[in-house]
Amino acid sequence: MTSTPHHQPILDKPFVLDLFAGPGGLDVAAHTLEVPSLGIEWDRNACLTRYAAGLDTLHADVSAVRREAFESLPPEINVLAGGPPCQTYSVAGSGVGRKALDEVKGYIERLMAGDSDDEIDEKLKKLSDPRTALVLEPLRYAIQATRSPNRGNRPYDVIVLEQVPAVEALWVHYALVLKTIGLPDGTRYNVKVDVLDTETYGVPQTRSRAVLIARRVGLGEPFLPEPTHRAYEAKAWNRLSGRAAAQAHQPALDEEITPEPVSCPDEGGDREPWVSMGTALYGRRKPFLVRSNYGSSGHPGRRGVRTDQQPAATVTGRISRFVVFEHLDEKIVYEGPRFSMDEAGVLQSFPPKYPWSGKAQAQQVGNAVPPLFGAHLLGAALGLPAPAPDALRKPWAPATEEQRAKLRSHGCGSADDCTARCPQPEDQASPRPPTRRKKSD
């Protein structure tokens, strides 16, 4: 493939540090691009999946590593990436983070001005949900890199971040200060921010994400990845066949189903059609319907029932609760097997046979960055060609027992168990959202 001006590698040896790494979405993306990575993840179950997948991992709290062990990180790391926890910003969460947006913007400016970490930490303790402050960690890592003797005080060359759409306002503020103010040492970045839809990059799922791609000044202007597939939009469907489909299944489901999609030749140019669940889950030979009571990226119109000819609704930690109906004929359906974890992972664009391990596997799947989408983001950030559409369709080769033991020795301090240096179970319980008081009569 001939490289275009956009597809010119900007780094000789990229090395990714993946914050809040989860079960490995961005690391699998980096693997697809043949780029080494190291992930920091505090959830024990996600780490078990990572070890089983053969991914370099530190089982640790991202904030604690920055404060206490930053100098132990490989000095050759030059790409900072991650998706901070989104629960307080998500439309599905308590909304605490959305209410604190202006306050968090103020902390961004204070960090860039060089205010002391200790002073800022004391202020952050007053946030009603401590997870809200985690969205600041990528910026704090970027600043810490410029103060690291082990790195020669060298800043990261590239920063790649993704989050739920509600965080776009914070990424815009990140971009503003990175471009105009710069880090306390004077380093500035050129930055792009937007909200992208994952189905337009071949992920068999509708999921919108706010993304930020930054390149250090001197490494060229960053660009967002070009969509490779058509967007999934209701206006592009054939309404007549949709009504017929709804009527055909109304007696069985007692609710209207989403009509089957119709490709529109005048939309999307040369892009491929979006990838359907049926195409991704080719092992399910019978046509099927999926009912989800969960919204998709804040778009109420994307709720309800979808056919195997459509992309999945947003895959969340509730994916194991999605009800799957299989066709007997045009008018009768029956409840079939629900999605396995392997199938749920494939809908997130993980390779088949990815070794999901530990507990809360559905939550791991739902929290992950879709690897194919991540590969497009990292590729654009690094000036690499977009991944092939089938780049992640080959079954994943799990780590051997010997490899797992080695990875866990490095990540946890022991070949077969967690140690005192790992986050403790009691620290991993997510804080409950504030209780809503009922209005008195």
Side-chain angles (χ1 to χ4, degrees), residues 137-217:
E137 282 299 332
L139 182 58
R140 303 184 84 170
Y141 265 73
I143 294 170
Q144 190 67 27
T146 67
R147 299 170 176 168
S148 168
N150 190 41
R151 295 179 54 84
N153 302 330
R154 180 171 50 86
Y156 295 120
D157 293 314
V158 174
I159 301 173
V160 180
L161 305 175
E162 68 88 45
Q163 248 279 14
V164 293
V167 178
E168 182 187 15
L170 277 185
W171 289 166
V172 168
H173 204 65
Y174 257 53
L176 177 65
V177 296
L178 286 170
K179 289 191 290 188
T180 60
I181 300 174
L183 302 179
D185 75 328
T187 299
R188 296 189 183 190
Y189 292 82
N190 295 315
V191 191
K192 294 288 186 184
V193 174
D194 204 350
V195 175
L196 305 179
D197 297 323
T198 61
E199 80 270 16
T200 64
Y201 298 94
V203 178
Q205 168 198 173
T206 52
R207 186 186 193 103
S208 299
R209 304 301 286 179
V211 303
L212 176 150
I213 295 179
R215 289 181 180 177
R216 184 171 52 80
V217 168

Side-chain angles (χ1 to χ4, degrees), residues 230 262-270:
R230 296 174 191 167
V262 175
S263 297
C264 295
D266 59 338
E267 294 186 17
D270 294 332

Side-chain angles (χ1 to χ4, degrees), residues 32-332:
T32 301
L33 300 174
E34 299 183 349
V35 172
S37 67
L38 170 65
I40 304 176
E41 173 55 42
W42 87 321
D43 180 73
R44 179 180 183 274
N45 295 304
C47 285
L48 292 177
T49 294
R50 294 178 60 85
Y51 296 143
L55 302 176
D56 285 337
T57 303
L58 288 179
H59 183 193
D61 182 332
V62 164
S63 300
V65 171
R66 172 180 53 80
R67 292 191 304 265
E68 304 161 10
F70 193 91
E71 293 304 294
S72 67
L73 296 175
E76 60 269 30
I77 288 173
N78 51 13
V79 179
L80 180 67
C86 68
Q87 288 90 342
T88 65
Y89 295 93
S90 170
V91 294
S94 65
V96 173
R98 297 195 300 279
K99 296 173 185 176
L101 279 174
D102 287 339
E103 187 175 359
V104 174
K105 288 179 183 177
Y107 287 120
I108 290 174
E109 294 173 7
R110 292 183 62 177
L111 285 167
M112 299 301 262
D115 284 14
S116 114
D117 279 340
D118 291 341
E119 182 179 346
I120 289 178
D121 284 341
E122 284 301 314
K123 295 288 185 181
L124 290 174
K125 289 178 181 178
K126 298 180 181 179
L127 292 174
S128 56
D129 190 323
R131 294 174 298 178
T132 301
L134 294 176
V135 77
L136 295 171
E137 282 299 332
L139 182 58
R140 303 184 84 170
Y141 265 73
I143 294 170
Q144 190 67 27
T146 67
R147 299 170 176 168
S148 168
N150 190 41
R151 295 179 54 84
N153 302 330
R154 180 171 50 86
Y156 295 120
D157 293 314
V158 174
I159 301 173
V160 180
L161 305 175
E162 68 88 45
Q163 248 279 14
V164 293
V167 178
E168 182 187 15
L170 277 185
W171 289 166
V172 168
H173 204 65
Y174 257 53
L176 177 65
V177 296
L178 286 170
K179 289 191 290 188
T180 60
I181 300 174
L183 302 179
D185 75 328
T187 299
R188 296 189 183 190
Y189 292 82
N190 295 315
V191 191
K192 294 288 186 184
V193 174
D194 204 350
V195 175
L196 305 179
D197 297 323
T198 61
E199 80 270 16
T200 64
Y201 298 94
V203 178
Q205 168 198 173
T206 52
R207 186 186 193 103
S208 299
R209 304 301 286 179
V211 303
L212 176 150
I213 295 179
R215 289 181 180 177
R216 184 171 52 80
V217 168
L219 293 175
E221 286 288 334
F223 62 93
L224 296 170
E226 288 289 333
T228 54
H229 292 67
R230 296 174 191 167
Y232 174 79
E233 292 294 344
K235 293 180 181 179
W237 302 343
N238 183 311
R239 296 182 183 275
L240 182 60
S241 64
R243 285 197 297 272
Q247 292 169 1
H249 297 290
Q250 186 76 22
L253 296 179
D254 194 29
E255 61 182 278
E256 184 175 347
I257 73 163
T258 316
E260 295 187 3
V262 175
S263 297
C264 295
D266 59 338
E267 294 186 17
D270 294 332
R271 297 176 193 167
E272 295 287 328
W274 35 257
V275 179
S276 70
M277 290 185 281
T279 298
L281 304 179
Y282 52 84
R284 285 191 177 241
R285 302 190 181 279
K286 294 182 180 179
F288 60 87
L289 309 173
V290 180
R291 182 170 63 197
S292 166
N293 61 358
Y294 201 77
S296 179
S297 300
H299 298 279
R302 292 180 173 181
R303 299 187 185 195
V305 177
R306 295 192 183 182
T307 75
D308 61 321
Q309 297 304 303
Q310 297 165 257
T314 300
V315 173
T316 70
R318 300 181 184 182
I319 183 66
S320 59
R321 303 182 193 176
F322 289 8
V323 181
V324 181
F325 297 93
E326 293 183 345
H327 292 245
L328 284 177
D329 56 39
E330 285 297 317
K331 294 186 177 181
I332 302 174

